[in-house]
Amino acid sequence: MRRASRPPTVLCVQYTNPASLPVLERIGAILAKQGQDVFFVGTQGFGQAHLELELGPSVRVSLVKFRTPGALQKLNYVWWSLRVLAFAIVLRPVSIYASDVMATPAALIAAMLLRIPTVYHEHDYAAGQRTIFDALLQNTRSALLRRAVCSVAPNEQRMMQLVKDGAREDRATVVRNYPSVGEVGPERSVCSNPVLWLHYHGSLVPARLPLSLIEALALLPSQVKLRIMGFEPYGRDYRNELLRRVEELNLGNRVDVRKSVARHRELLEIANQGDVGLCLLGDLDEFNHRSMVGASQKPYEYLACGMAVLVERTPEWCQAFVDPGYGLACDSGKPESIASAIGQFVDDRSRTREMGELGRRRIMVEWNYENEFGPVAASFGTVRR
């Protein structure tokens, strides 16, 4: 009796916890559904040890412990890189999927030694060469871009940066960070609750959750409340700064600051209770912040949950979300501007819910990861059934 052949494997490598990037969970689910085995090799990441991927019989994960900067972290990185190579030798994947610049040395070595096709998907552009190691990463990134069968970016600006840095233009593509169809919430009726909940989830940093938001809340009626869910990057203490400002303005009964939950699906279940999702971006001088439409998954997830969105007042954000009728815009550095926009949501709750529902339908029909990622699936050797 002949032994059944093993399904082809895609080896996904990133020097972080893959559960911190929901797009990886979506990719894993799509590839598994199309007949692939998906194996993630990552780290627990600072403040991310509790995060969990939605696993199945065709999706597995192997993580190494997070180490703080220093000698142990350097050894940890070498150990992680050796694990990537070992898994590549044992699994003989049909493709390696590298999703951050820190993964490029290990992915490049494995791809060259074992002649494995590689896909590079960059979520944030990491510029600068402050150290010798930074220069090494930029060199391995460029080498991997030249070799990759497909280079993926979340919008056109970042795709052109990949091409500038070495990717072949005919192998570079855009895959926006949309939710999956399965993450779209149910249709919601007009809310009779007098409380309007503002909702934010993501990293707790000043550029994305400015203190001006707390100051704007003080200008609004008491039925406007704010829920914050997220984590602090390593070396930050912004949560306490936020809470101090909340206390100074006597807003403790109107601000709910929570830690991130283990699974992304649980986060979206909580987001389904919100009315307006916040996607504010300061520091527009920084490349990643200037090129966030399509890269930031937050506004699309908010819409998937039936929330209207409040976005930064820039031409790109207004064209993507305000002009189609999914939300409003403001200047995030000005409390009065934030308060004015939120006041419009308060004054017309029916219109606020209509904005969210219009966006929810757009996600269901068009702006979903199944549609967006489909053309890239062939780069993984996917056999469509």
Side-chain angles (χ1 to χ4, degrees):
M1 184 175 180
R2 292 187 63 183
R3 195 173 180 179
S5 60
R6 189 183 69 185
T9 298
V10 175
L11 183 63
C12 297
V13 296
Q14 56 289 305
Y15 194 66
T16 187
N17 189 333
S20 68
L21 298 171
V23 63
L24 297 181
E25 186 169 281
R26 294 164 192 148
I27 289 173
I30 291 172
L31 294 178
K33 187 175 180 179
Q34 294 182 341
Q36 305 276 10
D37 276 348
V38 183
F39 195 92
F40 290 96
V41 184
T43 73
Q44 290 180 344
F46 176 75
Q48 301 172 353
H50 68 291
L51 299 181
E52 299 176 3
L53 281 177
E54 294 278 355
L55 301 178
S58 298
V59 180
R60 295 171 291 164
V61 62
S62 175
L63 304 179
V64 300
K65 290 183 178 180
F66 172 79
R67 301 292 183 183
T68 56
L72 285 179
Q73 187 184 63
K74 295 177 175 62
L75 291 174
N76 177 269
Y77 181 73
V78 172
W79 170 237
W80 176 85
S81 300
L82 290 174
R83 285 169 64 86
V84 170
L85 183 57
F87 280 122
I89 293 172
V90 172
L91 297 174
R92 291 289 173 168
V94 295
S95 183
I96 294 175
Y97 174 93
S99 59
D100 63 15
V101 68
M102 291 287 287
T104 56
L108 181 64
I109 291 171
M112 293 177 64
L113 290 179
L114 303 174
R115 298 183 179 180
I116 302 172
T118 304
V119 175
Y120 182 61
H121 189 157
E122 185 165 89
H123 304 282
D124 286 320
Y125 173 61
Q129 295 186 10
R130 296 183 298 272
T131 67
I132 294 176
F133 183 65
D134 290 335
L136 170 66
L137 290 178
Q138 291 302 319
N139 287 335
T140 55
R141 173 179 175 272
S142 296
L144 193 65
L145 284 171
R146 291 191 295 270
R147 183 184 182 88
V149 298
C150 184
S151 298
V152 184
N155 57 36
E156 286 77 6
Q157 290 170 283
R158 299 193 187 191
M159 184 192 73
M160 293 311 298
Q161 186 65 52
L162 292 183
V163 172
K164 179 181 177 181
D165 293 343
R168 283 179 45 174
E169 191 166 0
D170 60 337
R171 294 182 179 181
T173 189
V174 171
V175 175
R176 295 168 184 84
N177 287 336
Y178 294 155
S180 66
V181 171
E183 292 172 318
V184 178
E187 182 176 354
R188 299 163 63 182
S189 59
V190 175
C191 184
S192 58
N193 188 338
V195 175
L196 181 133
W197 275 102
L198 309 173
H199 176 91
Y200 173 87
H201 63 244
S203 57
L204 304 185
V205 293
R208 301 185 186 183
L209 197 63
L211 291 177
S212 53
L213 173 63
I214 307 300
E215 294 161 3
L217 194 62
L219 303 176
L220 289 160
S222 59
Q223 72 258 37
V224 180
K225 298 188 177 184
L226 169 64
R227 179 180 294 115
I228 298 170
M229 302 188 66
F231 63 93
E232 292 179 293
Y234 179 77
R236 300 269 187 169
D237 188 22
Y238 190 54
R239 180 190 299 270
N240 288 332
E241 187 175 349
L242 279 171
L243 292 176
R244 280 195 298 270
R245 192 61 178 140
V246 167
E247 184 178 351
E248 290 169 358
L249 296 174
N250 197 27
L251 297 173
N253 62 338
R254 295 172 57 189
V255 179
D256 178 15
V257 182
R258 305 185 186 182
K259 293 183 178 180
S260 56
V261 292
R263 297 199 174 189
H264 195 65
R265 190 171 299 276
E266 298 172 21
L267 176 64
L268 296 183
E269 289 173 358
I270 296 172
N272 271 294
Q273 303 168 22
D275 299 298
V276 178
L278 304 174
C279 194
L280 308 178
L281 294 168
D283 192 17
L284 292 176
D285 292 332
E286 205 272 325
F287 177 80
N288 283 327
H289 289 176
R290 293 198 312 272
S291 56
M292 286 295 285
V293 175
S296 175
Q297 62 193 0
K298 282 193 282 292
Y300 305 107
E301 290 181 344
Y302 296 155
L303 294 178
C305 294
M307 287 189 279
V309 294
L310 178 61
V311 301
E312 194 73 32
R313 184 177 284 121
T314 68
E316 294 79 12
W317 285 98
C318 289
Q319 182 180 15
F321 298 103
V322 180
D323 295 348
Y326 308 142
L328 301 174
C330 69
D331 298 316
S332 64
K334 301 177 180 178
E336 296 80 7
S337 177
I338 299 174
S340 176
I342 294 174
Q344 295 180 57
F345 291 123
V346 175
D347 293 340
D348 195 340
R349 298 296 295 277
S350 178
R351 180 178 175 233
T352 299
R353 187 51 52 89
E354 287 173 2
M355 288 177 173
E357 176 58 20
L358 188 64
R360 191 190 71 86
R361 293 177 183 175
R362 182 76 178 272
I363 300 293
M364 179 68 76
V365 174
E366 180 185 355
W367 281 356
N368 58 73
Y369 212 74
E370 287 81 356
N371 286 342
E372 194 74 359
F373 186 69
V376 180
S379 300
F380 293 87
T382 301
V383 178
R384 297 185 180 273
R385 295 182 176 180

